Amino acid sequence: MPQTFLCREDQLEEGRALGFDPWGEGRDTVLALLWRGQVRVYRNLCPHLDVAMQYRKDRFMSGDGQHIVCFAHGALFQPDNGFCVLGPCLGQSLQALTVQADAAGGMWLEESGALVADGARPCVSMAST
């Protein structure tokens, strides 16, 4: 299955989301973070109006560091599953992307359908075999 390089796992810090442009679109289309020891990756699109969520580079987290925020609408999302808990998209979720870790610590996005299938565990890094 084709994969696209996202980042090195050691670039991610616990509780801090970073934006990436893995497909060379000229803007951060993906956000990634380490949350409670697990890598989580989402499309950088608020489900309310499909707008980028940060107000400036790598500013995705709430002031207390407990939620991903859409600064356009004030929506709050749980970092572990992307579920909206406050705002105009209440009950919706960020689009989770599947990521794999290689033996050297590289994080790779699965190209297949970037979206996680129903019932799958979203965005948890998995060492390749």
Side-chain angles (χ1 to χ4, degrees), residues 26-116:
R27 59 189 170 81
D28 290 340
T29 54
V30 171
L31 66 104
L33 72 152
L34 192 60
W35 185 257
R36 297 184 179 153
Q38 299 291 316
V39 174
R40 304 295 180 176
V41 182
Y42 301 102
R43 286 203 184 274
N44 181 14
L45 288 175
C46 180
H48 179 225
L49 290 176
D50 287 336
V51 298
M53 298 193 311
Q54 79 278 20
Y55 71 93
R56 67 177 197 218
K57 178 73 175 147
D58 298 329
R59 300 295 182 169
F60 294 98
M61 301 300 288
S62 59
D64 64 3
Q66 296 302 301
H67 294 93
I68 298 169
V69 177
C70 174
F71 286 95
H73 306 106
L76 298 179
F77 300 88
Q78 295 173 336
D80 60 339
N81 59 17
F83 188 74
C84 181
V85 294
L86 181 72
C89 47
L90 187 64
Q92 296 178 302
S93 294
L94 299 175
Q95 295 176 356
L97 303 178
T98 302
V99 66
Q100 296 284 327
D102 65 24
M107 303 303 299
W108 296 83
L109 291 171
E110 296 289 337
E111 287 292 322
S112 63
L115 293 181
V116 175

